[in-house]
Amino acid sequence: MAADAGAITDAGPASGAGEVEGKCVKPFTPEKAKEIIMSLQQPAVFCNMVFDWPARHWTAKHLSEVLHGKQIRFRMGMTSTDPVPQFETTCSYVEATLEEFLTWNCDQSSISGPFRDYDHSKFWAYADYKYFVNLFEDKTDVFQDVIWSDFGFPGRNGWESTLWIGSMGAHTPCHLDSYGCNLVFQVQGRKRWHLFPPEDTPFLYPTRIPYEESSVFSKINVVNPDVKRFPQFQKARRHTVTLSPGQVLFVPRHWWHYVESIDSVTVSINSWIELEEDHQARVEEAITRILVCALKTAENPHNTRAWLNPTEVEETSHEVNCRYLNGAVSAFFDHYGTSQVVETQALRTNRERRIKEELNVHNHMESEPTGRPSLTSGTVKQEAASPFGPDLVPVIPSSQEPPSERGGIFERDGEDFVGKNGGRLGKLHCTKRQRMVSESENAAVEQTASNSALAPSQTFISTDDLLDCLVNPQVTRIVAQLLIQRSL
């Protein structure tokens, strides 16, 4: 398919990159790129940063030649408009080569081989979560083709990366990652990303069933939502971007995302960047794993396939999970030290109190009509220090018509870009944001109640209903902090 009209390309100087003595110059130094990644809390697309990466030529056809007939596991999903998410536990799986995938993807009528039972018009295929270390175990030289050091992470390359190859319609259900932030390099075809901010978590109806370490899933099919069953979802702020070849998407920590392939073949490479907050997140994840495995195993000891994602291959016994928890707590203290833990928690508590006080100050402000906010109604002028420009494009809410300067790639309105230290990186409609944060706090209880809204007289509480409450991200965060305090 042809690219979207007005789509950003990675074509060197003509698209915004500088030029010195005839050579392309990247718009951001590694130090500046890392500064942006470590401070920005808004998704954004980097342009003109990978034009010299050898991996930019990694089309599915090229990879099929590099891998020389190696068998890869493909997840097979159905092309449908079902409002229920297509979790990995409900999909089929096929072991096939990339050559066989490409042949099937040509939509030939008399297909043979591993894809013979899957009508191309009714199914999509996704080779996802393919870690370079496993995929190219005997070709480690290709690790150097991915140069994350350009984004300020020296030594990071394909070794810390994951490969994704899909057909049109292939997608991942809406979820957030417990650990780190995410950099995604689009190599071939286009993918559409639907993103939602962390404070909208209650509106996404989080669940840990199916269980996958570090993935919190949404009960909602965000491209075809059942708003009668999940009414709070209408309050969620969707951010949409179509990522084209040569672009790199930055996904901040704990941003929800649903990703779908919109071209016949898509190839992308990502790397999760570790963050300071991950040390406590691993304790939270260990608590979640113990509770989910204990309750679900007790419910049905002989059927883990119904609730455990196929990507989880480790043993799930209580003994193993308890060792995992103790290891996570020990690692937390090894990193911080006892005195620093007390200081860090005090700073976090003061920061959270200060944020709530700031929210209360602004809650009395009246909201603007939908439309571009005016400077006299709580909008802050964009500061000169803003990193956004032709080579770093913010991904912002998609509720309004996009501004004319960027064509059709983004759907957005005049929302905020806020750095971790509170610095304004763009336009901020204060009233709307504060109202949404306040509503998200109240929705945590309301969304749990509406999970059973299909039958008002129903009183049966399932194991999954109980787990939705016990391992809600807000709950496990509190439990982890209490556990750490007890261990001081």
Side-chain angles (χ1 to χ4, degrees), residues 212-392:
E212 175 182 282
E213 184 184 357
S214 81
S215 293
V216 182
F217 290 102
S218 169
K219 292 184 176 183
I220 301 168
N221 180 351
V222 298
V223 295
N224 186 29
D226 184 347
V227 294
K228 289 185 178 179
R229 185 178 181 188
F230 304 112
Q232 295 289 333
F233 178 65
Q234 297 176 86
K235 299 179 182 179
R237 290 164 294 169
R238 184 191 305 261
H239 300 56
T240 308
V241 60
T242 299
L243 198 65
S244 297
Q247 298 173 349
V248 175
L249 174 65
F250 165 62
V251 182
R253 183 175 188 263
H254 285 182
W255 272 73
W256 292 85
H257 47 284
Y258 172 101
V259 190
E260 56 181 336
S261 298
I262 59 173
D263 281 332
S264 58
V265 179
T266 61
V267 177
S268 54
I269 299 169
N270 87 295
S271 189
W272 286 282
I273 308 298
E274 300 82 4
L275 297 172
E276 189 74 13
E277 297 92 334
D278 290 348
H279 296 286
Q280 179 172 313
R282 295 187 190 282
V283 178
E284 297 170 16
E285 193 61 37
I287 294 168
T288 298
R289 188 180 184 90
I290 284 181
L291 292 173
V292 171
C293 292
L295 287 179
K296 293 301 290 185
T297 302
E299 179 183 56
N300 190 338
H302 308 294
N303 186 20
T304 59
R305 193 183 190 288
W307 59 270
L308 192 65
N309 244 26
T311 53
E312 291 298 305
V313 296
E314 297 179 4
E315 186 182 348
T316 59
S317 71
H318 187 68
E319 179 184 2
V320 169
N321 290 338
C322 284
R323 288 204 299 267
Y324 177 32
L325 174 61
N326 279 276
V329 173
S330 297
F332 181 91
F333 283 112
D334 288 344
H335 179 77
Y336 287 110
T338 303
S339 59
Q340 191 175 351
V341 169
V342 176
E343 180 182 353
T344 301
Q345 290 187 338
L347 289 173
R348 181 184 296 117
T349 301
N350 290 335
R351 183 174 67 249
E352 291 173 352
R353 184 184 300 114
R354 186 169 62 252
I355 290 173
K356 287 187 176 181
E357 289 174 353
E358 291 175 357
L359 294 181
N360 290 333
V361 169
H362 292 288
N363 275 343
H364 72 279
M365 298 173 66
E366 294 182 356
S367 63
E368 278 286 302
T370 53
R372 191 176 294 273
S374 64
L375 295 177
T376 59
S377 316
T379 304
V380 180
K381 290 185 178 180
Q382 184 173 352
E383 294 182 0
S386 169
F388 299 121
D391 298 298
L392 181 69

Side-chain angles (χ1 to χ4, degrees), residues 31 59 123 162 165 169 212 256 278 295 383 431 452 468:
E31 295 75 20
T59 63
F123 287 88
T162 308
I165 304 172
E212 175 182 282
W256 292 85
D278 290 348
L295 287 179
E383 294 182 0
T431 307
S452 303
D468 283 343

Side-chain angles (χ1 to χ4, degrees), residues 36-265:
I36 292 170
I37 290 167
M38 290 292 109
S39 63
L40 195 62
Q41 289 195 22
Q42 190 80 10
V45 175
F46 285 89
C47 304
N48 297 300
M49 287 291 288
V50 298
F51 52 78
D52 59 345
W53 286 21
R56 73 190 186 280
H57 300 302
W58 282 20
T59 63
K61 177 64 176 175
H62 172 74
L63 289 170
S64 71
E65 297 169 356
V66 171
L67 292 172
H68 294 302
K70 182 169 184 174
Q71 294 274 313
I72 297 175
R73 195 184 198 202
F74 287 86
R75 176 160 55 98
M76 307 301 297
M78 293 195 68
T79 304
S80 70
T81 56
D82 196 320
V84 178
Q86 232 176 129
F87 292 123
E88 293 177 43
T89 49
T90 64
C91 292
S92 303
Y93 292 85
V94 164
E95 298 287 338
T97 65
L98 279 178
E99 292 96 332
E100 291 169 327
F101 162 73
L102 291 172
T103 299
W104 170 79
N105 201 45
C106 290
D107 197 14
Q108 296 183 0
S109 56
S110 56
I111 192 73
S112 60
F115 292 101
R116 60 184 174 274
D117 296 328
Y118 298 93
D119 185 334
H120 181 268
S121 65
K122 297 178 181 178
F123 287 88
W124 47 260
Y126 208 4
D128 50 4
Y129 295 102
K130 298 298 178 282
Y131 291 91
F132 277 46
V133 174
N134 301 324
L135 199 59
F136 302 105
E137 53 191 351
D138 56 343
K139 300 178 178 64
T140 55
D141 55 312
V142 305
F143 292 173
Q144 308 307 316
D145 290 1
V146 181
I147 315 170
W148 297 116
S149 55
D150 282 350
F151 289 86
F153 301 96
R156 182 177 290 263
N157 53 33
W159 182 272
E160 299 88 1
S161 301
T162 308
L163 185 68
W164 309 71
I165 304 172
S167 63
M168 183 181 295
H171 65 270
T172 53
C174 187
H175 68 284
L176 67 80
D177 301 314
S178 301
Y179 312 142
C181 58
N182 197 0
L183 286 174
V184 186
F185 166 36
Q186 192 63 29
V187 180
Q188 178 181 2
R190 296 168 301 151
K191 281 186 173 180
R192 182 171 294 123
W193 287 70
H194 303 254
L195 303 110
F196 303 86
E199 57 267 29
D200 285 2
T201 291
F203 306 146
L204 273 296
Y205 296 80
T207 182
R208 296 311 303 265
I209 304 298
Y211 177 76
E212 175 182 282
E213 184 184 357
S214 81
S215 293
V216 182
F217 290 102
S218 169
K219 292 184 176 183
I220 301 168
N221 180 351
V222 298
V223 295
N224 186 29
D226 184 347
V227 294
K228 289 185 178 179
R229 185 178 181 188
F230 304 112
Q232 295 289 333
F233 178 65
Q234 297 176 86
K235 299 179 182 179
R237 290 164 294 169
R238 184 191 305 261
H239 300 56
T240 308
V241 60
T242 299
L243 198 65
S244 297
Q247 298 173 349
V248 175
L249 174 65
F250 165 62
V251 182
R253 183 175 188 263
H254 285 182
W255 272 73
W256 292 85
H257 47 284
Y258 172 101
V259 190
E260 56 181 336
S261 298
I262 59 173
D263 281 332
S264 58
V265 179

